[in-house]
Amino acid sequence: MVQINAYADDVVIISRNLKALEEALQELDNTSKETGLIINQETTKDMKVNKKIHNQCNQIAIGGYTNERVSCFPCLGSVTNDDNSISEEITHRIKKGNRACYEYEGLMTSK
């Protein structure tokens, strides 16, 4: 099963197994070339989310380029990480809330 979601200029591809993911990425690469689009290899990342097998799988290559393996990345305002913990997401949201609070502190205290 492969799920592809496109948001603005981001594409998120989710798969339950490596073979299906590689096939989906190859199809995306072929379709992009047919329509004249190029996948930006500098910003293309991959992440394995599995508590049992931590960073033990092969890296994925598209068109001869190996993607950078990351342990976490922001997607749609949320921080996703490879061990499915939410501690980084909670910290991220607290920092965003504090930043917004201090940014508008003068406005909120003015008469």
Side-chain angles (χ1 to χ4, degrees), residues 9 16 18 23 36 52 59 62 64 80 88-89 94 109:
D9 57 349
R16 290 200 179 267
L18 186 60
E23 290 172 0
K52 295 177 186 173
Q59 294 214 308
I62 306 171
T80 306
E88 287 184 47
E89 174 64 18
I94 289 171
T109 59

Side-chain angles (χ1 to χ4, degrees), residues 28-46:
L28 177 65
D29 187 44
N30 293 339
T31 305
S32 297
K33 288 178 182 174
E34 288 174 6
T35 58
L37 298 174
I38 299 171
I39 296 174
N40 186 346
Q41 302 296 348
E42 299 299 320
T43 60
T44 302
K45 313 280 187 229
D46 73 63

Side-chain angles (χ1 to χ4, degrees), residues 60-76:
I60 300 169
I62 306 171
Y65 182 84
T66 304
N67 298 329
E68 178 186 351
R69 172 69 44 92
V70 295
S71 61
C72 68
F73 66 90
C75 180
L76 299 174

